Amino acid sequence: PSDINPNVVLTEESNRLYGLHNYVSRLPKIQQDIIAKETTEERDVREERRESIKQSFLYGWNGYKTYALGADELKPLSNKSNNPFGGLGATLVDSIGTMLIMELDIDELLPLIQKIKVKPDEQMSVFETIIRYLGGLLSAFELSDHPRKHILLDKAEEIGLALLPAFETAFGLPYYHFNPLTKVSKTNTTYLADAATIQLEFITLSYHTGNPIFAEKAQVIMDFIDSADYSQGVTVPGLYPSDINIADGYFKNSVISFGAMGDSAYEYFLKQYLLVDGTVPQFGRMYEQSIDSMKSHMLVQLPGAKFLYLTPYDADRKLKTNAMDHLTCFVPGMLAIGSKIFNRPDDMKVAKGLLETCVHMYRSSNTHLSPEIWSVGKDSVPYNAMTYGKSEEELVNARSWKNWRNRHVATPPSPPPKKQEPIQKFSRVLEDVPETPDGSVIYDTRYLLRPETIESLFVMYRMTGDPVYQEYGWLIYQGIETYCKTKSAYASVKNVRLSKMDTTSNQIDSMETFLFAETFKYLYLLFSPPDLISLDKFVFNTEAHPLLRRPMDFSK
C-alpha cells in the first residue's frame, strides 16, 4: 500500500455522527440542503415520525434482548433463538450502529462484544461474517465516543485475522463457506457478491489497525475481477456471471444479476471509490463500465410507462429473464449517487424509473409491503433514453415531425433562446397508484423485512429534497407496523396480498438482523436532519453500516 494513513491530517474531535471534523471531499457534493426549505409544521411531523421509528426499533430490540440476547436472531413468533451466522450474536452486532445513531446507550453491550468467540467449529459464510460482524463493529467504532470503544476494533481485528486463511486460494478469492477453527471449506464455488463485497470493511480495518494485509487481500480480488476476460467466462465487459470457481478462476455460468448473488459487487465498485475519496481511479472506471453495460444489455422499459425493470441476463444466450427481485431495489440509490459523482444525468432518470417500479410493488399490494420476486410486464423492450416514458402517440408524432422536417426544411432553424428553468416545486401528496402493467405477476409473495427500497428512498430524498420519498417511506413503515409486528418483535410475511386474514397466521417465524441494521436505520435517517450521517461524509456498507470517507490508497 502507498498509504496506511492519509496524507491529510483529519481530526476526529467533533460529534462522530456528523463525520470527520475537517473532511471535505474532493468529489462532487451528493446531498442537497434540505432543512433550509423545511417549514415548522413539516419539522414537527418529521420529528414525530422519526420518534415512532425509534420506538419500533426499541420494541424489536427489547424482544431480542428478552428472549435471544447473544444469539444471532430471535424467532419472533415462538420466541426461540436462531443461529444462522455462527452464533456470534449477529443481531447484537448489527444493531449497535443504529443504536448510536439513535443516541441510545451501548454501555451494557460492550462486555457481550468482548466475550464473542470468533472461531466456532462450523462452516460460516465469509461474506455474511464480514458485512454483518466486521462492518458492524468497525462502523460502531467510528461512530462511538465511548471510553471503551477499543473493544469494538479489537474484536473486528480478531474476526479479520480469523478469516484471513479463507483467502489463501489460487486467485485470492475467499471460500464461500469456511470453518475458522479447522480452516476447512467444503466447496470450491463462490459467488460474485460474496467475493467482491468485503473491500470496504477490509480497507477500513487496515486503516485503523495499521496492518495492510486486509486491504491487500481486498485489492487482489478487485484486480482479479478487473482483469477477467472471455477466457474466464466474462463475455460482456463490466458484467460478471454470478458463480465463480475459486480453483481455476472461471465464471461458471453465464447468468449476470444485479439482484441475488451479484448485487453488492457492483455497489462496492462505486462505494470503494467514495470510501477512499476517489484516490483509486480503478474503482470508478469499473463502476462506470458495469453501469454502461447494464443499461445496454439488462435494463428494460414498457412503452408509455414510467416503470423500468432490471432482470438477470444470460450473456451466452443473450436473453433476459422475466423476473426482478427485491434485492435489486438498492440500484436506484446507487445510480443516483453515481450520477452525481461521475456527471451521468441519464443514470438519475434510470434511478427514478427503477424506484417507480420498486415503490409500486409496495403501493399496489393490499398490505403496502412488497413481494420478494415479480415478473416484468408484457411488451417490454430494451431501455432507450430517447423513447423511455413516451407513449406510442408521442413517438409517432415525434417521428412524423422529424420526417416532415427532413423533407421540407433545407437548413435547420436557429435554436430558440434558452429559458431559465423554473424552480421545481415538490408536493407531499401522493398520486393515485398506477395500474399494474399487464403481464406483471407476483412470483414470490413473501416480504422478508427487506430494506433495499427504503435505502433508495433515503438516498433519493437526501439528493433531491423531494418529500414524496418520505411519504413513500412512511407508507412502508406503516405496513411493517400493521402486518409484521408480533407480541415480542417483528416477523416476515407469507403473502403480501392478504390483508384481511389474521395477521399472525400470515407471519413467518423469522426476523432477519438487517431489520435493525438497515430497515429501521434507513427509515430513521429518512426523517432525520441531512447532516446526520451525511452521504458527503460517510459511505454505507451493504449491511447499512456507515463508514467514514477519507482519502487513502491501498491499491499499489
Side-chain angles (χ1 to χ4, degrees), residues 135-156:
L137 292 167
L138 289 169
S139 177
F141 174 75
E142 292 192 332
L143 294 175
S144 176
D145 58 3
H146 195 284
R148 300 184 66 206
K149 71 171 192 167
H150 66 86
I151 291 171
L152 301 167
L153 179 60
D154 291 347
K155 190 59 63 175

Side-chain angles (χ1 to χ4, degrees), residues 379-454:
D379 302 323
S380 63
V381 295
Y383 172 72
N384 184 318
M386 300 298 291
T387 62
Y388 165 60
K390 292 183 173 61
S391 67
E392 189 62 34
E393 182 180 0
E394 289 173 314
L395 294 174
V396 168
N397 290 339
R399 286 193 290 268
S400 298
W401 162 247
K402 181 179 178 181
N403 292 337
W404 182 91
R405 181 178 176 278
N406 289 341
R407 289 196 303 269
H408 298 285
V409 181
T411 56
S414 301
K418 288 186 178 180
K419 293 181 180 180
Q420 186 173 359
E421 288 291 327
I423 297 175
Q424 191 169 12
K425 294 183 179 179
F426 296 126
S427 172
R428 289 186 177 275
V429 179
L430 298 182
E431 296 179 357
D432 292 340
V433 181
E435 290 187 13
T436 298
D438 288 344
S440 180
V441 297
I442 295 174
Y443 286 159
D444 186 337
T445 63
R446 296 173 302 160
Y447 172 66
L448 303 179
L449 303 170
R450 289 207 184 277
E452 288 80 16
T453 297
I454 301 168

